[in-house]
Amino acid sequence: MSVSAASHLSPSYPDRAAWGTAPKLRAWQQEAYDLYFRREPRDFLTVATPGAGKTTYALRIASELLSRGVIKAVTVVTPTEHLKRQWADAAGRVGMAIDPEFKNSQGATSRDFTGVAITYAQVAMHPALHRARTEARKTLVIFDEIHHAGDAKSWGDGVREAFEPATRRLSLTGTPFRSDDSPIPFVTYVEDGDGTMRSASDYSYGYGPALRDGVVRPVIFLAYSGEMKWRTRAGDEIAATLGTPLTKDQLSQAWRAALDPKGDWIRQVIHAADRRLTEVRRGVPDAGGLIIASDHESARAYARHIRTVAGEGATVVLSDDPDASKKIKEFTGSQARWLVAVRMVSEGVDIPRLAVGVYATSTSTPLFFAQAVGRFVRARKRGEMASVFVPSVPVLMGLAAEMEEERDHVLGRAQAEDGLDDSLLERAQQERNQPDALGDELPFQTLEASATFDRVLFDGGEFGTAAAPGSPEEEDFIGLPGLLEPDQVASLLRRRQADQQAAKRRKGEPEPAPALAPHEQMQELRKELNGLVGAWNHRTGQPHGVIHAELRRSCGGPAIAQASAEQIKERIAMIRKWATQRR
């Protein structure tokens, strides 16, 4: 198929391509394939949203290069052990023998294999070995999720040393961005005009186009707030409402309390997610759910909650479990409802039937969030929809609202002090037996943690009003059909929100709250505005001062300390308007 022919097809063509075994390429894959062979490059970076089919595309290129005699061997480099086997399975289905069990101590693999699948960590441990292997035969190196080559200096240095002599290098990623200044090997950076260097892809296919083409599923995010109460080591009892403006420390502690298996928040959210899974399975009988936990203890506790709620156990996958790959593979081919994992399935692992997720981890880097959500977006047929349950915290709300934003890796840019540090991601890939730390908070005891349905986020918009778990208002969104096209999702969400608002009007306005003293009113308004500015900072990366200055330019008036109540209300309305507009 020529590039011109491919350009007349939806990039979702064919409608469904079995993972790693597509007899025909989707149009985006064909277009990228044709571009690759038109250029005949030594290095090529393909950025395609999770679930779009990067593996099928890469294996087709490898097969063609082998048949032409351009290369004699293939090396696949992956972030995790499980992904080595996943690549080997996919390659085997297209007649290419890849050894996923290769160890550095072997030095060489059997002649029966065309190549090997190894991890970035393996390369870093013995780069000279892999350089010798690369020099011995004309080799194509496929870097799966190439951004991981920047996770540690030793990894980047090892990758450069080992694969500098490669005949061809094909780099793949669904999330090319990082928040640090670690250059990604064999990626081209171009000057951005402001002193920064930005990664440049050779071919890019983002979530937005993939969604429009039916290659990936639409994702709705169901956000839950709630009342949290905890006791610090010092004996102080503190209460806060998740989803309202909080200080960094308060947010850290409230978030931690929400995820505490001993509290009711996570139980209520798991219950809601299981109800959602039941609804989805009416149209997608094999649909599965995934809970991404912070640590081993929490994962096991969440699995016990699932048994109570669903009446059947969950598959639990821990980072140090030698049978982890086997369990994932068995779950993938089964009809089981739930999988609980500690991070390791957040990237690359292909379980197409996953349709409902619970984001029960405190890891909050944009990179990790995008990878985690990517587990749910793979479309098998048109109309399938994914649902992800998240805590109602500003950083996650911002990331959920920006699903379609395409990011590059930028070097030399000042980093915002928002905690979005990719060192968290590096730690997340390691074995963790203890909970994540969201800050420097003291150990504390969760006293109360109850959930409240907050809102639904989809396609940059927000829908729904606060509601108690199990209420008809929550059920309006929990009970959405599991098979809907993106435009149908948006239309139905708008209609259900309008129905809820109309019902509230029919019931009459609630009793007014007791009047606040002027100084109390001013304090509340300033707190609300500062909280919204903080959320906008997480969403855009703009410093707080810049956001306040822009609000002053838009609305007029002095600095917040001297602004009147009406002026602050105008700024609150303005920033909320920004949040509802598509960027």
Side-chain angles (χ1 to χ4, degrees):
M1 182 184 296
S2 68
V3 175
S4 59
S7 67
H8 296 298
L9 294 172
S10 162
S12 63
Y13 173 85
D15 289 337
R16 178 183 176 188
W19 194 82
T21 61
K24 295 181 180 179
L25 295 179
R26 290 169 171 165
W28 84 261
Q29 296 166 328
Q30 186 70 52
E31 189 173 58
Y33 173 94
D34 289 342
L35 178 63
Y36 180 89
F37 284 104
R38 192 163 63 246
R39 291 184 180 177
E40 292 286 348
R42 187 180 183 198
D43 286 294
F44 196 87
L45 171 61
T46 301
V47 177
T49 189
K54 292 186 290 295
T55 304
T56 296
Y57 153 78
L59 291 174
R60 184 62 61 86
I61 287 177
S63 295
E64 182 65 19
L65 290 174
L66 285 166
S67 68
R68 294 185 185 187
V70 176
I71 61 169
K72 298 297 183 184
V74 177
T75 296
V76 181
V77 190
T78 76
T80 66
E81 289 288 327
H82 177 78
L83 289 178
K84 294 194 312 183
R85 299 176 183 89
Q86 192 164 282
W87 270 91
D89 289 345
R93 291 194 289 269
V94 295
M96 188 185 306
I98 297 293
D99 181 7
E101 305 299 334
F102 176 81
K103 303 291 190 296
N104 287 351
S105 57
Q106 293 175 220
T109 189
S110 166
R111 290 180 179 272
D112 293 338
F113 292 105
T114 304
V116 301
I118 55 179
T119 65
Y120 289 100
Q122 274 182 269
V123 176
M125 286 188 289
H126 204 332
L129 165 68
H130 297 286
R131 184 183 183 97
R133 290 187 59 261
T134 303
E135 290 175 329
R137 302 171 73 188
K138 293 189 294 184
T139 301
L140 165 69
V141 183
I142 300 174
F143 296 107
D144 186 20
E145 304 297 351
I146 182 64
H147 54 268
H148 279 290
D151 278 0
K153 187 177 185 300
S154 63
W155 285 23
D157 291 345
V159 165
R160 286 190 186 89
E161 179 183 347
F163 302 118
E164 189 280 329
T167 302
R168 295 287 179 91
R169 292 181 290 256
L170 177 60
S171 298
L172 310 173
T173 182
T175 48
F177 55 92
R178 298 179 60 86
S179 61
D180 58 20
D181 271 0
S182 298
I184 303 171
F186 309 124
V187 168
T188 300
Y189 291 84
V190 296
E191 191 170 351
D192 205 19
D194 58 358
T196 62
M197 301 293 289
R198 182 177 297 273
S199 62
S201 61
D202 295 286
Y203 187 90
S204 182
Y205 186 60
Y207 175 79
L211 180 63
R212 290 190 293 272
D213 296 330
V215 169
V216 295
R217 297 168 177 158
V219 180
I220 63 169
F221 293 92
L222 297 100
Y224 280 73
S225 58
E227 300 297 325
M228 311 297 155
K229 187 176 181 180
W230 62 90
R231 180 183 294 115
T232 68
R233 180 189 293 175
D236 298 326
E237 292 189 4
I238 302 174
T241 301
L242 197 66
T244 61
L246 300 172
T247 67
K248 182 178 179 181
D249 286 344
Q250 288 174 332
L251 175 60
S252 298
Q253 295 166 353
W255 192 348
R256 182 175 171 183
L259 300 182
D260 189 336
K262 297 186 291 294
D264 283 337
W265 188 93
I266 191 65
R267 289 192 186 95
Q268 292 167 334
V269 170
I270 288 174
H271 191 194
D274 189 70
R275 294 190 344 255
R276 176 67 188 145
L277 181 59
T278 296
E279 182 61 42
V280 171
R281 285 170 74 107
R282 297 183 196 280
V284 187
D286 69 338
L290 165 66
I291 299 178
I292 301 177
S294 287
D295 59 90
H296 293 186
E297 181 181 353
S298 295
R300 295 186 182 98
Y302 297 162
R304 291 193 290 271
H305 292 334
I306 288 172
R307 179 173 290 279
T308 301
V309 168
E312 65 178 68
T315 299
V316 180
V317 177
L318 305 178
S319 53
D320 59 351
D321 186 348
D323 293 327
S325 291
K326 180 182 178 182
K327 288 181 178 179
I328 292 172
K329 191 170 185 177
E330 289 176 350
F331 180 84
T332 301
S334 74
Q335 297 280 323
R337 290 174 70 90
W338 283 101
L339 174 69
V340 185
V342 182
R343 285 182 286 268
M344 70 170 293
V345 295
S346 68
E347 179 179 34
V349 172
D350 184 70
I351 308 175
R353 68 187 190 89
L354 286 179
V356 176
V358 179
Y359 194 86
T361 174
S362 53
T363 305
S364 58
T365 71
L367 183 55
F368 185 86
F369 185 84
Q371 292 166 357
V373 174
R375 298 317 95 216
F376 305 95
V377 302
R378 180 177 293 278
R380 299 179 297 174
K381 62 180 180 180
R382 293 197 69 94
E384 289 185 340
M385 180 172 65
S387 307
V388 180
F389 289 71
V390 295
S392 187
V393 296
V395 60
L396 297 185
M397 297 300 94
L399 295 173
E402 296 167 359
M403 270 287 291
E404 295 186 23
E405 181 175 333
E406 296 180 23
R407 298 178 174 91
D408 297 311
H409 184 209
V410 179
L411 304 178
R413 178 173 58 191
Q415 302 301 320
E417 294 182 1
D418 56 7
L420 305 187
D421 180 359
D422 278 307
S423 64
L424 292 177
L425 180 64
E426 183 182 345
R427 297 206 310 272
Q429 303 302 328
Q430 301 168 358
E431 177 185 338
R432 298 294 295 282
N433 295 304
Q434 300 299 323
D436 293 316
L438 278 165
D440 296 327
E441 70 273 15
L442 292 173
F444 66 91
Q445 176 187 3
T446 302
L447 301 178
E448 298 176 15
S450 61
T452 302
F453 173 75
D454 187 5
R455 53 192 147 148
V456 166
L457 291 87
F458 176 72
D459 197 28
E462 298 183 0
F463 307 87
T465 54
S471 65
E473 291 79 9
E474 181 199 42
E475 198 59 36
D476 279 344
F477 298 100
I478 294 291
L480 288 171
L483 290 171
L484 290 174
E485 297 287 343
D487 57 341
Q488 295 174 320
V489 176
S491 176
L492 190 54
L493 288 172
R494 285 193 293 268
R495 186 161 66 248
R496 295 203 170 178
Q497 175 163 275
D499 290 344
Q500 288 187 1
Q501 291 171 338
K504 286 191 173 185
R505 287 193 296 270
R506 288 193 297 270
K507 291 178 181 178
E509 294 298 323
E511 290 294 320
L516 297 174
H519 73 278
E520 292 175 321
Q521 182 188 31
M522 189 66 73
Q523 182 181 18
E524 288 298 313
L525 288 171
R526 289 171 180 166
K527 181 178 178 181
E528 181 178 3
L529 179 57
N530 284 328
L532 291 169
V533 166
W536 194 249
N537 159 263
H538 284 301
R539 174 184 261 193
T540 65
Q542 290 180 291
H544 289 232
V546 171
I547 300 170
H548 279 292
E550 180 60 29
L551 287 170
R552 287 179 63 188
R553 282 193 293 272
S554 300
C555 303
I560 187 171
Q562 290 81 40
S564 68
E566 287 304 315
Q567 289 169 329
I568 296 176
K569 288 177 182 177
E570 288 180 18
R571 296 176 196 180
I572 289 172
M574 177 60 68
I575 197 168
R576 289 190 184 279
K577 181 179 178 182
W578 293 351
T580 59
Q581 293 174 338
R582 296 291 303 278
R583 294 171 51 202

